[in-house]
Amino acid sequence: MESEKFELILKEIEFIYSRSSGPGGQKVNKTSTKAELRWDVEASTLISEAIKKKLLRQNPNRFSQKGILYIKSDKYRDKDGNSRECVKKLKSILEKAYKIEKLRRPTVPTKSSVEKRLLGKRKHSEKKLNRKSKLVDD
Protein backbone atom coordinates (compact mmCIF):
# COMPACT_ATOMS: atom_id res chain seq x y z
CA MET A 1 0.00 0.00 0.00
CA GLU A 2 1.32 3.43 -0.92
CA SER A 3 2.18 5.78 1.94
CA GLU A 4 0.35 8.71 0.28
CA LYS A 5 -2.89 6.73 0.21
CA PHE A 6 -2.38 5.66 3.83
CA GLU A 7 -1.89 9.31 4.85
CA LEU A 8 -5.24 10.16 3.22
CA ILE A 9 -6.90 7.25 5.02
CA LEU A 10 -5.54 8.56 8.32
CA LYS A 11 -7.48 11.80 7.68
CA GLU A 12 -10.72 9.78 7.46
CA ILE A 13 -10.32 7.96 10.77
CA GLU A 14 -11.49 9.17 14.15
CA PHE A 15 -10.27 8.27 17.62
CA ILE A 16 -12.40 7.81 20.71
CA TYR A 17 -10.76 7.52 24.11
CA SER A 18 -12.13 5.77 27.17
CA ARG A 19 -10.92 4.41 30.47
CA SER A 20 -8.56 1.52 30.08
CA SER A 21 -8.76 -1.74 31.96
CA GLY A 22 -5.02 -2.20 31.65
CA PRO A 23 -2.19 -1.40 34.05
CA GLY A 24 -2.02 1.91 35.87
CA GLY A 25 -1.32 3.63 39.14
CA GLN A 26 -3.27 6.11 41.24
CA LYS A 27 -4.72 7.97 38.27
CA VAL A 28 -6.06 4.85 36.54
CA ASN A 29 -9.67 5.87 37.23
CA LYS A 30 -9.18 9.48 36.12
CA THR A 31 -7.62 9.34 32.66
CA SER A 32 -9.00 7.95 29.44
CA THR A 33 -6.08 6.18 27.79
CA LYS A 34 -7.77 3.35 25.86
CA ALA A 35 -7.85 4.25 22.17
CA GLU A 36 -10.50 3.12 19.71
CA LEU A 37 -9.97 3.80 16.03
CA ARG A 38 -13.09 4.10 13.86
CA TRP A 39 -13.03 4.21 10.07
CA ASP A 40 -16.11 4.22 7.87
CA VAL A 41 -14.86 1.86 5.17
CA GLU A 42 -18.19 1.77 3.32
CA ALA A 43 -18.19 5.57 2.85
CA SER A 44 -14.50 5.76 1.93
CA THR A 45 -13.68 6.60 -1.69
CA LEU A 46 -9.96 5.92 -1.23
CA ILE A 47 -10.16 2.15 -1.63
CA SER A 48 -11.85 0.01 -4.26
CA GLU A 49 -14.93 -2.15 -3.73
CA ALA A 50 -12.82 -5.29 -4.15
CA ILE A 51 -10.50 -4.24 -1.30
CA LYS A 52 -13.52 -3.34 0.86
CA LYS A 53 -14.96 -6.82 0.35
CA LYS A 54 -11.58 -8.41 1.06
CA LEU A 55 -11.22 -6.36 4.28
CA LEU A 56 -14.65 -7.48 5.42
CA ARG A 57 -13.93 -11.11 4.56
CA GLN A 58 -10.57 -11.11 6.37
CA ASN A 59 -11.74 -9.20 9.48
CA PRO A 60 -15.45 -9.87 10.04
CA ASN A 61 -15.28 -9.32 13.82
CA ARG A 62 -13.81 -5.83 13.44
CA PHE A 63 -16.70 -4.47 11.38
CA SER A 64 -20.07 -3.14 12.48
CA GLN A 65 -23.21 -3.78 10.43
CA LYS A 66 -22.90 -0.25 9.01
CA GLY A 67 -19.43 -1.01 7.58
CA ILE A 68 -17.37 0.80 10.22
CA LEU A 69 -14.01 -0.73 11.10
CA TYR A 70 -13.15 -0.74 14.82
CA ILE A 71 -9.65 -1.22 16.20
CA LYS A 72 -8.96 -0.95 19.94
CA SER A 73 -5.80 -0.77 21.99
CA ASP A 74 -5.09 -0.42 25.70
CA LYS A 75 -1.59 -1.84 25.59
CA TYR A 76 0.10 1.37 26.76
CA ARG A 77 -0.57 3.74 29.66
CA ASP A 78 -0.91 6.82 27.45
CA LYS A 79 -3.23 7.94 24.65
CA ASP A 80 -0.45 8.50 22.14
CA GLY A 81 1.00 5.02 22.52
CA ASN A 82 -2.42 3.40 22.14
CA SER A 83 -3.27 5.61 19.15
CA ARG A 84 -0.01 4.64 17.44
CA GLU A 85 -0.77 0.97 18.17
CA CYS A 86 -4.21 1.32 16.54
CA VAL A 87 -2.67 2.94 13.45
CA LYS A 88 -0.06 0.16 13.31
CA LYS A 89 -2.81 -2.47 13.42
CA LEU A 90 -4.75 -0.63 10.70
CA LYS A 91 -1.66 -0.53 8.48
CA SER A 92 -1.04 -4.26 8.86
CA ILE A 93 -4.72 -5.02 8.11
CA LEU A 94 -4.57 -2.90 4.96
CA GLU A 95 -1.26 -4.41 3.83
CA LYS A 96 -2.77 -7.87 4.21
CA ALA A 97 -5.81 -6.83 2.16
CA TYR A 98 -3.68 -5.31 -0.63
CA LYS A 99 -1.39 -8.35 -0.84
CA ILE A 100 -2.11 -10.38 -3.96
CA GLU A 101 -2.63 -14.02 -3.11
CA LYS A 102 -0.95 -16.64 -5.26
CA LEU A 103 -3.32 -18.88 -7.13
CA ARG A 104 -2.92 -22.51 -6.12
CA ARG A 105 -2.55 -24.87 -9.03
CA PRO A 106 -3.88 -28.30 -8.14
CA THR A 107 -1.29 -31.00 -8.69
CA VAL A 108 -1.70 -34.60 -9.76
CA PRO A 109 0.43 -37.30 -8.12
CA THR A 110 2.95 -38.97 -10.40
CA LYS A 111 2.45 -42.55 -11.49
CA SER A 112 5.50 -43.74 -9.55
CA SER A 113 4.34 -42.03 -6.32
CA VAL A 114 0.91 -43.69 -6.61
CA GLU A 115 2.56 -47.09 -7.17
CA LYS A 116 4.90 -46.52 -4.23
CA ARG A 117 1.98 -45.60 -1.95
CA LEU A 118 -0.03 -48.66 -3.00
CA LEU A 119 2.98 -50.94 -2.57
CA GLY A 120 3.47 -49.61 0.97
CA LYS A 121 -0.18 -50.21 1.77
CA ARG A 122 0.04 -53.75 0.38
CA LYS A 123 3.14 -54.54 2.49
CA HIS A 124 1.48 -53.15 5.60
CA SER A 125 -1.64 -55.22 4.95
CA GLU A 126 0.43 -58.39 4.45
CA LYS A 127 2.28 -57.72 7.69
CA LYS A 128 -1.05 -57.50 9.55
CA LEU A 129 -2.35 -60.66 7.84
CA ASN A 130 0.82 -62.57 8.83
CA ARG A 131 0.31 -61.58 12.46
CA LYS A 132 -3.32 -62.64 12.33
CA SER A 133 -2.49 -66.12 11.02
CA LYS A 134 0.11 -66.63 13.76
CA LEU A 135 -2.51 -65.84 16.42
CA VAL A 136 -4.99 -68.30 14.93
CA ASP A 137 -2.41 -71.17 14.85
CA ASP A 138 -1.65 -70.87 18.58
Side-chain angles (χ1 to χ4, degrees):
M1 163 160 226
E2 307 101 44
S3 60
E4 300 91 36
K5 190 179 256 188
F6 188 70
E7 293 297 323
L8 292 173
I9 288 173
L10 288 179
K11 291 179 182 175
E12 286 186 351
I13 64 173
E14 90 178 272
F15 282 100
I16 294 172
Y17 299 99
S18 59
R19 290 193 181 144
S20 177
S21 62
Q26 291 178 333
K27 63 177 197 165
V28 72
N29 294 328
K30 297 178 188 174
T31 58
S32 298
T33 57
K34 178 181 178 180
E36 183 178 318
L37 180 147
R38 292 183 183 183
W39 179 37
D40 193 353
V41 177
E42 287 294 318
S44 180
T45 57
L46 297 172
I47 58 174
S48 67
E49 288 298 319
I51 298 295
K52 288 179 186 179
K53 287 179 183 174
K54 197 170 179 182
L55 277 171
L56 185 60
R57 190 176 64 245
Q58 288 177 345
N59 308 287
N61 296 336
R62 292 187 185 268
F63 278 90
S64 71
Q65 290 182 345
K66 295 178 183 176
I68 298 174
L69 176 72
Y70 290 94
I71 300 173
K72 298 175 187 175
S73 175
D74 59 355
K75 184 177 180 180
Y76 299 101
R77 289 187 184 189
D78 59 305
K79 286 182 183 181
D80 294 336
N82 288 325
S83 299
R84 282 192 300 272
E85 183 70 18
C86 286
V87 170
K88 200 162 97 175
K89 287 179 184 179
L90 175 66
K91 191 169 188 170
S92 70
I93 287 170
L94 286 171
E95 284 174 352
K96 188 178 175 187
Y98 272 93
K99 188 175 181 183
I100 299 167
E101 298 169 2
K102 285 185 177 180
L103 289 174
R104 184 190 174 278
R105 263 193 253 135
T107 58
V108 180
T110 61
K111 193 174 181 179
S112 63
S113 67
V114 172
E115 289 173 0
K116 185 177 176 183
R117 181 179 60 86
L118 293 174
L119 181 68
K121 288 175 77 168
R122 202 173 302 116
K123 282 185 177 181
H124 189 69
S125 174
E126 288 170 4
K127 183 188 345 176
K128 298 283 187 176
L129 284 172
N130 289 339
R131 287 182 191 164
K132 200 174 188 181
S133 63
K134 287 178 184 176
L135 289 174
V136 174
D137 291 341
D138 289 339

